[in-house]
Amino acid sequence: GLTALQKFLLQLAAAVAFTVLLRNYGYLTPSLYIPFFNVELAIPWVVYMIFAAFVMVATVNAVNLTDGIDGLATGVTIPVALFYVAVSAWFNRSDLTVVSAALAGGLSAFLIYNFHPAKVFMGDTGSLFLGGAVCGLAFALDIPLVLILVGLVYLVETLSDIIQVVYFKLTHGKRIFKMAPIHHHFEMCGWSEEKIFTVFVGITCLMCVAAWFGVQGRYAP
């Protein structure tokens, strides 16, 4: 029963509170690590906190958009969680290793019932949580830009929706995609839900492997 503005404000408040907690407990540094280049871009704390809140809200909603067909958000997030398991272990962060492993394990069990044809659905409560977990772990590990890689599917889903809406309004009714977000476009092109699931999860697996090599220089083991 909440309006879009109310949802946004609540998500923003949660993101700000989480970011403040991360900073107070020493998880954050006011710098952005650039994957593959092994360099850090120092920025003011205020700018960083605004950036963090924006990215968190955007990621939460991006994962929510991805949850449009049976098992998709679940399947795409499993390799992302496994990526965090590997990275947190590499960084000697046993606390985050446990959290990431629990996330991966829970999603794997849930996928048994969520895969097409789904017997159980996660709904907004589940998908919004997944978005928070995916983004929260990236910031807790102090590698937020890695979301561009591991979250490529989430990003494309969101961009396809934005592009569709903007183009529709500018052209007074014309569409670029048959339907948005983009997984629905592929559905209308004749792809089965199983094929969309396999392709999107496969892409995420490849991007997670690339991200793994991208953060190898972040800390010495």
Side-chain angles (χ1 to χ4, degrees):
L2 298 176
T3 65
L5 178 59
Q6 289 172 330
K7 290 180 181 178
F8 170 77
L9 291 176
L10 285 172
Q11 290 172 355
L12 182 62
V16 170
F18 182 70
T19 305
V20 171
L21 285 173
L22 285 180
R23 179 184 177 182
N24 289 344
Y25 281 94
Y27 283 86
L28 294 182
T29 58
S31 59
L32 287 177
Y33 176 75
I34 313 298
F36 298 106
F37 295 96
N38 197 29
V39 296
E40 295 185 11
L41 177 64
I43 57 178
W45 264 116
V46 174
V47 176
Y48 187 89
M49 299 292 276
I50 294 172
F51 161 79
F54 171 79
V55 172
M56 287 182 185
V57 172
T59 304
V60 164
N61 287 283
V63 177
N64 181 246
L65 282 175
T66 307
D67 184 35
I69 62 174
D70 293 350
L72 186 58
T74 307
V76 168
T77 308
I78 289 173
V80 178
L82 291 173
F83 165 79
Y84 287 136
V85 171
V87 173
S88 55
W90 176 261
F91 290 176
N92 294 317
R93 296 296 305 276
S94 58
D95 52 346
L96 298 180
T97 304
V98 172
V99 173
S100 304
L103 179 63
L107 288 173
S108 298
F110 181 68
L111 185 60
I112 297 173
Y113 304 97
N114 190 227
F115 188 73
H116 182 76
K119 301 177 182 65
V120 181
F121 302 94
M122 69 171 65
D124 285 352
T125 303
S127 59
L128 292 174
F129 166 77
L130 290 186
V134 165
C135 191
L137 284 165
F139 277 97
L141 289 165
D142 210 15
I143 49 173
L145 292 185
V146 81
L147 287 167
I148 298 173
L149 297 170
V150 301
L152 180 64
V153 167
Y154 310 135
L155 179 62
V156 172
E157 292 273 16
T158 304
L159 289 177
S160 68
D161 201 48
I162 294 172
I163 291 169
Q164 183 85 324
V165 172
V166 172
Y167 187 77
F168 183 87
K169 291 182 177 180
L170 291 177
T171 60
H172 305 290
K174 293 183 180 179
R175 294 175 172 83
I176 292 180
F177 305 104
K178 293 183 178 181
M179 189 175 178
I182 200 167
H183 59 259
H184 289 313
H185 170 80
F186 288 120
E187 268 192 298
M188 298 188 74
C189 288
W191 285 29
S192 66
E193 291 195 23
E194 293 92 335
K195 181 176 180 179
I196 296 172
F197 174 92
T198 302
V199 171
F200 282 33
V201 172
I203 290 172
T204 302
C205 289
L206 292 175
M207 296 308 297
C208 286
V209 171
W212 166 253
F213 289 107
V215 300
Q216 288 297 288
R218 183 67 175 91
Y219 292 111

